[in-house]
Short mmCIF file of all heavy atoms in Angstrom, two decimals:
data_model
loop_
_atom_site.label_atom_id
_atom_site.label_comp_id
_atom_site.label_asym_id
_atom_site.label_seq_id
_atom_site.Cartn_x
_atom_site.Cartn_y
_atom_site.Cartn_z
N SER A 228 85.13 98.32 131.77
CA SER A 228 84.84 97.05 131.05
C SER A 228 84.29 97.46 129.68
O SER A 228 83.94 98.59 129.45
CB SER A 228 83.82 96.21 131.83
OG SER A 228 82.59 96.94 131.98
N PRO A 229 84.21 96.53 128.72
CA PRO A 229 83.73 96.85 127.39
C PRO A 229 82.31 97.48 127.44
O PRO A 229 81.45 96.98 128.13
CB PRO A 229 83.72 95.54 126.65
CG PRO A 229 84.77 94.72 127.34
CD PRO A 229 84.70 95.12 128.82
N GLN A 230 82.17 98.60 126.72
CA GLN A 230 80.88 99.30 126.69
C GLN A 230 80.91 100.30 125.59
O GLN A 230 81.99 100.65 125.04
CB GLN A 230 80.58 99.99 128.02
CG GLN A 230 81.70 100.95 128.48
CD GLN A 230 81.57 101.36 129.92
OE1 GLN A 230 80.93 102.29 130.27
NE2 GLN A 230 82.20 100.55 130.85
N THR A 231 79.76 100.81 125.18
CA THR A 231 79.67 101.85 124.17
C THR A 231 79.01 103.11 124.73
O THR A 231 77.98 103.01 125.43
CB THR A 231 78.82 101.34 122.95
OG1 THR A 231 79.50 100.21 122.41
CG2 THR A 231 78.69 102.44 121.91
N ILE A 232 79.63 104.25 124.46
CA ILE A 232 79.08 105.55 124.89
C ILE A 232 78.58 106.27 123.68
O ILE A 232 79.34 106.39 122.68
CB ILE A 232 80.19 106.40 125.59
CG1 ILE A 232 80.75 105.63 126.79
CG2 ILE A 232 79.63 107.73 126.03
CD1 ILE A 232 81.97 106.31 127.40
N ARG A 233 77.37 106.78 123.73
CA ARG A 233 76.77 107.46 122.62
C ARG A 233 76.29 108.85 122.99
O ARG A 233 75.64 109.02 124.00
CB ARG A 233 75.60 106.64 122.04
CG ARG A 233 76.05 105.39 121.30
CD ARG A 233 74.87 104.60 120.77
NE ARG A 233 75.35 103.45 120.00
CZ ARG A 233 74.61 102.38 119.75
NH1 ARG A 233 73.36 102.30 120.20
NH2 ARG A 233 75.11 101.39 119.02
N ARG A 234 76.64 109.80 122.15
CA ARG A 234 76.09 111.16 122.25
C ARG A 234 75.26 111.37 120.99
O ARG A 234 75.82 111.43 119.90
CB ARG A 234 77.19 112.16 122.40
CG ARG A 234 76.73 113.61 122.42
CD ARG A 234 76.80 114.18 123.81
NE ARG A 234 76.58 115.63 123.77
CZ ARG A 234 75.59 116.23 124.40
NH1 ARG A 234 74.71 115.53 125.08
NH2 ARG A 234 75.48 117.57 124.36
N THR A 235 73.98 111.48 121.11
CA THR A 235 73.06 111.52 119.96
C THR A 235 72.62 112.94 119.70
O THR A 235 72.69 113.82 120.56
CB THR A 235 71.83 110.64 120.27
OG1 THR A 235 71.09 111.18 121.35
CG2 THR A 235 72.26 109.20 120.60
N PRO A 236 72.09 113.21 118.50
CA PRO A 236 71.51 114.52 118.22
C PRO A 236 70.42 114.94 119.23
O PRO A 236 70.32 116.12 119.58
CB PRO A 236 70.94 114.35 116.78
CG PRO A 236 71.80 113.32 116.16
CD PRO A 236 72.09 112.32 117.28
N ARG A 237 69.63 113.95 119.64
CA ARG A 237 68.56 114.27 120.59
C ARG A 237 69.16 114.74 121.93
O ARG A 237 68.70 115.74 122.53
CB ARG A 237 67.70 113.03 120.85
CG ARG A 237 66.64 113.21 121.95
CD ARG A 237 65.91 111.93 122.25
NE ARG A 237 66.80 110.88 122.73
CZ ARG A 237 67.22 110.80 123.99
NH1 ARG A 237 66.84 111.71 124.94
NH2 ARG A 237 68.05 109.85 124.37
N LEU A 238 70.19 114.12 122.38
CA LEU A 238 70.89 114.55 123.62
C LEU A 238 71.54 115.91 123.47
O LEU A 238 71.54 116.75 124.40
CB LEU A 238 71.90 113.49 124.05
CG LEU A 238 71.34 112.18 124.57
CD1 LEU A 238 72.46 111.12 124.73
CD2 LEU A 238 70.56 112.38 125.87
N ILE A 239 72.09 116.17 122.28
CA ILE A 239 72.74 117.48 122.03
C ILE A 239 71.69 118.56 122.09
O ILE A 239 71.89 119.65 122.68
CB ILE A 239 73.49 117.46 120.70
CG1 ILE A 239 74.69 116.50 120.79
CG2 ILE A 239 73.94 118.87 120.34
CD1 ILE A 239 75.35 116.21 119.47
N ARG A 240 70.53 118.32 121.50
CA ARG A 240 69.48 119.31 121.49
C ARG A 240 68.96 119.60 122.91
O ARG A 240 68.63 120.73 123.28
CB ARG A 240 68.30 118.88 120.63
CG ARG A 240 68.57 118.94 119.12
CD ARG A 240 67.30 118.77 118.31
NE ARG A 240 66.66 117.46 118.57
CZ ARG A 240 66.89 116.35 117.86
NH1 ARG A 240 67.80 116.40 116.88
NH2 ARG A 240 66.28 115.24 118.12
N SER A 241 69.01 118.59 123.76
CA SER A 241 68.50 118.75 125.11
C SER A 241 69.48 119.45 126.01
O SER A 241 69.09 120.17 126.93
CB SER A 241 68.14 117.38 125.73
OG SER A 241 69.28 116.63 125.98
N SER A 242 70.81 119.30 125.77
CA SER A 242 71.82 119.93 126.60
C SER A 242 73.17 119.85 125.91
O SER A 242 73.62 118.77 125.54
CB SER A 242 71.90 119.20 127.94
OG SER A 242 72.95 119.70 128.71
N ASP A 243 73.81 121.00 125.79
CA ASP A 243 75.16 121.02 125.23
C ASP A 243 76.02 122.04 126.02
O ASP A 243 75.94 123.27 125.82
CB ASP A 243 75.14 121.46 123.75
CG ASP A 243 76.54 121.44 123.15
OD1 ASP A 243 77.48 120.93 123.85
OD2 ASP A 243 76.72 121.95 122.04
N PRO A 244 76.82 121.54 126.93
CA PRO A 244 77.69 122.41 127.72
C PRO A 244 78.94 122.87 127.00
O PRO A 244 79.74 123.60 127.58
CB PRO A 244 78.08 121.53 128.93
CG PRO A 244 78.02 120.13 128.39
CD PRO A 244 76.91 120.11 127.37
N GLU A 245 79.08 122.50 125.72
CA GLU A 245 80.20 122.89 124.87
C GLU A 245 81.55 122.52 125.52
O GLU A 245 82.42 123.33 125.80
CB GLU A 245 80.16 124.37 124.54
CG GLU A 245 78.93 124.74 123.75
CD GLU A 245 78.94 126.17 123.23
OE1 GLU A 245 79.83 126.93 123.68
OE2 GLU A 245 78.11 126.52 122.39
N MET A 246 81.68 121.21 125.78
CA MET A 246 82.86 120.69 126.40
C MET A 246 83.73 119.97 125.37
O MET A 246 83.23 119.32 124.48
CB MET A 246 82.51 119.67 127.51
CG MET A 246 81.72 120.25 128.65
SD MET A 246 82.66 121.40 129.68
CE MET A 246 83.73 120.20 130.56
N ILE A 247 85.05 120.16 125.51
CA ILE A 247 86.06 119.43 124.72
C ILE A 247 86.62 118.30 125.57
O ILE A 247 86.94 118.50 126.74
CB ILE A 247 87.17 120.36 124.28
CG1 ILE A 247 86.66 121.51 123.42
CG2 ILE A 247 88.27 119.56 123.52
CD1 ILE A 247 86.08 121.06 122.12
N HIS A 248 86.68 117.14 125.00
CA HIS A 248 87.22 115.98 125.74
C HIS A 248 88.41 115.39 125.01
O HIS A 248 88.45 115.30 123.78
CB HIS A 248 86.14 114.84 125.79
CG HIS A 248 86.59 113.56 126.37
ND1 HIS A 248 86.49 113.27 127.70
CD2 HIS A 248 87.24 112.46 125.81
CE1 HIS A 248 87.01 112.07 127.94
NE2 HIS A 248 87.46 111.59 126.80
N LEU A 249 89.43 115.03 125.78
CA LEU A 249 90.59 114.30 125.27
C LEU A 249 90.88 113.12 126.18
O LEU A 249 90.87 113.29 127.41
CB LEU A 249 91.81 115.22 125.15
CG LEU A 249 93.11 114.56 124.66
CD1 LEU A 249 93.91 115.48 123.77
CD2 LEU A 249 94.00 114.10 125.86
N SER A 250 91.14 111.97 125.61
CA SER A 250 91.52 110.77 126.34
C SER A 250 92.91 110.30 125.92
O SER A 250 93.18 110.17 124.71
CB SER A 250 90.51 109.63 126.15
OG SER A 250 89.34 109.86 126.88
N LEU A 251 93.74 110.04 126.91
CA LEU A 251 94.99 109.32 126.72
C LEU A 251 94.75 107.87 127.07
O LEU A 251 94.54 107.54 128.24
CB LEU A 251 96.10 109.94 127.58
CG LEU A 251 97.36 109.08 127.74
CD1 LEU A 251 98.15 109.03 126.43
CD2 LEU A 251 98.24 109.63 128.85
N ILE A 252 94.74 106.99 126.12
CA ILE A 252 94.52 105.57 126.34
C ILE A 252 95.83 104.97 126.83
O ILE A 252 96.88 105.14 126.16
CB ILE A 252 94.05 104.86 125.05
CG1 ILE A 252 92.76 105.53 124.57
CG2 ILE A 252 93.81 103.39 125.30
CD1 ILE A 252 92.54 105.41 123.11
N THR A 253 95.80 104.28 127.96
CA THR A 253 97.01 103.66 128.47
C THR A 253 96.94 102.15 128.41
O THR A 253 97.98 101.50 128.56
CB THR A 253 97.24 104.12 129.92
OG1 THR A 253 96.10 103.78 130.73
CG2 THR A 253 97.50 105.58 130.02
N LYS A 254 95.77 101.59 128.20
CA LYS A 254 95.64 100.14 128.09
C LYS A 254 94.40 99.81 127.26
O LYS A 254 93.37 100.45 127.45
CB LYS A 254 95.56 99.47 129.44
CG LYS A 254 95.36 97.97 129.44
CD LYS A 254 95.16 97.42 130.86
CE LYS A 254 94.85 95.96 130.83
NZ LYS A 254 94.61 95.40 132.16
N GLY A 255 94.52 98.85 126.33
CA GLY A 255 93.33 98.44 125.57
C GLY A 255 93.18 99.24 124.27
O GLY A 255 94.09 100.01 123.92
N THR A 256 92.04 99.06 123.63
CA THR A 256 91.75 99.78 122.38
C THR A 256 90.38 100.41 122.47
O THR A 256 89.50 99.95 123.21
CB THR A 256 91.80 98.82 121.18
OG1 THR A 256 90.90 97.73 121.38
CG2 THR A 256 93.19 98.27 120.96
N VAL A 257 90.25 101.49 121.71
CA VAL A 257 88.95 102.24 121.67
C VAL A 257 88.60 102.52 120.24
O VAL A 257 89.37 103.07 119.47
CB VAL A 257 89.11 103.58 122.48
CG1 VAL A 257 87.87 104.39 122.35
CG2 VAL A 257 89.47 103.29 123.92
N GLY A 258 87.36 102.09 119.87
CA GLY A 258 86.81 102.47 118.58
C GLY A 258 86.11 103.82 118.69
O GLY A 258 85.53 104.15 119.71
N PHE A 259 86.08 104.54 117.57
CA PHE A 259 85.49 105.91 117.62
C PHE A 259 84.85 106.21 116.28
O PHE A 259 85.39 105.94 115.20
CB PHE A 259 86.54 106.93 117.93
CG PHE A 259 86.05 108.32 118.09
CD1 PHE A 259 85.10 108.66 119.05
CD2 PHE A 259 86.54 109.33 117.25
CE1 PHE A 259 84.65 109.93 119.19
CE2 PHE A 259 86.08 110.64 117.41
CZ PHE A 259 85.14 110.93 118.38
N ARG A 260 83.66 106.84 116.39
CA ARG A 260 82.93 107.22 115.17
C ARG A 260 82.33 108.62 115.45
O ARG A 260 81.62 108.82 116.42
CB ARG A 260 81.81 106.25 114.86
CG ARG A 260 81.02 106.54 113.62
CD ARG A 260 79.86 105.59 113.45
NE ARG A 260 80.30 104.16 113.44
CZ ARG A 260 79.94 103.30 114.38
NH1 ARG A 260 79.12 103.63 115.34
NH2 ARG A 260 80.41 102.06 114.32
N MET A 261 82.70 109.60 114.56
CA MET A 261 82.16 110.94 114.75
C MET A 261 82.13 111.64 113.36
O MET A 261 83.03 112.34 112.98
CB MET A 261 82.99 111.79 115.73
CG MET A 261 82.36 113.12 116.06
SD MET A 261 83.43 114.14 117.15
CE MET A 261 84.74 114.54 116.00
N GLY A 262 81.05 111.40 112.62
CA GLY A 262 80.89 112.09 111.34
C GLY A 262 81.89 111.74 110.29
O GLY A 262 82.06 112.46 109.30
N GLY A 263 82.60 110.64 110.42
CA GLY A 263 83.60 110.25 109.45
C GLY A 263 83.81 108.74 109.51
O GLY A 263 83.03 108.03 110.13
N PRO A 264 84.90 108.27 108.91
CA PRO A 264 85.15 106.82 108.96
C PRO A 264 85.48 106.40 110.40
O PRO A 264 86.00 107.16 111.21
CB PRO A 264 86.39 106.65 108.05
CG PRO A 264 87.00 108.01 107.96
CD PRO A 264 85.91 109.00 108.10
N ASP A 265 85.15 105.12 110.68
CA ASP A 265 85.47 104.57 111.99
C ASP A 265 87.00 104.58 112.20
O ASP A 265 87.77 104.35 111.26
CB ASP A 265 84.92 103.16 112.12
CG ASP A 265 83.43 103.11 112.09
OD1 ASP A 265 82.79 104.18 112.04
OD2 ASP A 265 82.86 101.96 112.13
N ALA A 266 87.37 104.79 113.44
CA ALA A 266 88.82 104.79 113.79
C ALA A 266 89.03 103.91 115.01
O ALA A 266 88.11 103.72 115.82
CB ALA A 266 89.30 106.21 114.08
N LEU A 267 90.22 103.37 115.11
CA LEU A 267 90.57 102.51 116.26
C LEU A 267 91.85 103.09 116.88
O LEU A 267 92.86 103.31 116.17
CB LEU A 267 90.80 101.07 115.82
CG LEU A 267 91.02 100.07 116.96
CD1 LEU A 267 89.74 99.88 117.75
CD2 LEU A 267 91.47 98.72 116.38
N TYR A 268 91.80 103.39 118.17
CA TYR A 268 92.90 103.96 118.90
C TYR A 268 93.48 102.91 119.86
O TYR A 268 92.76 102.17 120.51
CB TYR A 268 92.43 105.17 119.67
CG TYR A 268 92.05 106.34 118.84
CD1 TYR A 268 90.81 106.38 118.22
CD2 TYR A 268 92.86 107.44 118.67
CE1 TYR A 268 90.41 107.46 117.43
CE2 TYR A 268 92.48 108.54 117.89
CZ TYR A 268 91.27 108.53 117.30
OH TYR A 268 90.86 109.62 116.52
N GLY A 269 94.82 103.01 119.99
CA GLY A 269 95.53 102.11 120.94
C GLY A 269 96.26 102.86 121.99
O GLY A 269 96.14 104.10 122.12
N PRO A 270 97.09 102.16 122.80
CA PRO A 270 97.81 102.77 123.88
C PRO A 270 98.66 103.94 123.46
O PRO A 270 99.34 103.93 122.44
CB PRO A 270 98.65 101.64 124.46
CG PRO A 270 97.84 100.41 124.14
CD PRO A 270 97.27 100.67 122.79
N TYR A 271 98.57 104.99 124.24
CA TYR A 271 99.35 106.25 124.10
C TYR A 271 99.04 107.00 122.80
O TYR A 271 99.86 107.77 122.33
CB TYR A 271 100.86 105.97 124.25
CG TYR A 271 101.11 105.56 125.69
CD1 TYR A 271 101.12 104.21 126.07
CD2 TYR A 271 101.18 106.51 126.73
CE1 TYR A 271 101.26 103.84 127.38
CE2 TYR A 271 101.33 106.14 128.04
CZ TYR A 271 101.34 104.78 128.36
OH TYR A 271 101.46 104.38 129.67
N GLU A 272 97.80 106.79 122.33
CA GLU A 272 97.24 107.70 121.35
C GLU A 272 96.25 108.60 122.03
O GLU A 272 95.67 108.27 123.08
CB GLU A 272 96.56 106.90 120.22
CG GLU A 272 97.57 106.17 119.36
CD GLU A 272 96.90 105.60 118.09
OE1 GLU A 272 96.06 104.72 118.23
OE2 GLU A 272 97.23 106.10 117.01
N LEU A 273 96.09 109.79 121.49
CA LEU A 273 95.19 110.79 122.06
C LEU A 273 93.91 110.86 121.18
O LEU A 273 93.98 111.11 119.95
CB LEU A 273 95.87 112.18 122.03
CG LEU A 273 97.22 112.22 122.82
CD1 LEU A 273 97.87 113.59 122.63
CD2 LEU A 273 97.00 111.95 124.29
#
């Protein structure tokens, strides 16, 4: 359901397992912000 996931500097300082994540969106849209302009991803984008 609609929600926001945040990884903050405080959380990174407390624990960083050095994981790479990739999502294949199959339905809906996903907004993303990571040190640059906001982006919006749709179905079958990675």
Side-chain angles (χ1 to χ4, degrees):
S228 61
Q230 55 195 270
T231 298
I232 303 172
R233 287 179 176 160
R234 177 104 170 119
T235 64
R237 176 185 60 81
L238 290 171
I239 293 170
R240 288 192 298 270
S241 69
S242 175
D243 183 10
E245 298 189 349
M246 298 290 286
I247 299 296
H248 174 91
L249 178 143
S250 283
L251 166 69
I252 301 154
T253 57
K254 177 184 176 184
T256 56
V257 176
F259 183 59
R260 183 185 304 117
M261 188 183 70
D265 294 358
L267 188 67
Y268 292 78
Y271 294 93
E272 290 190 294
L273 303 174

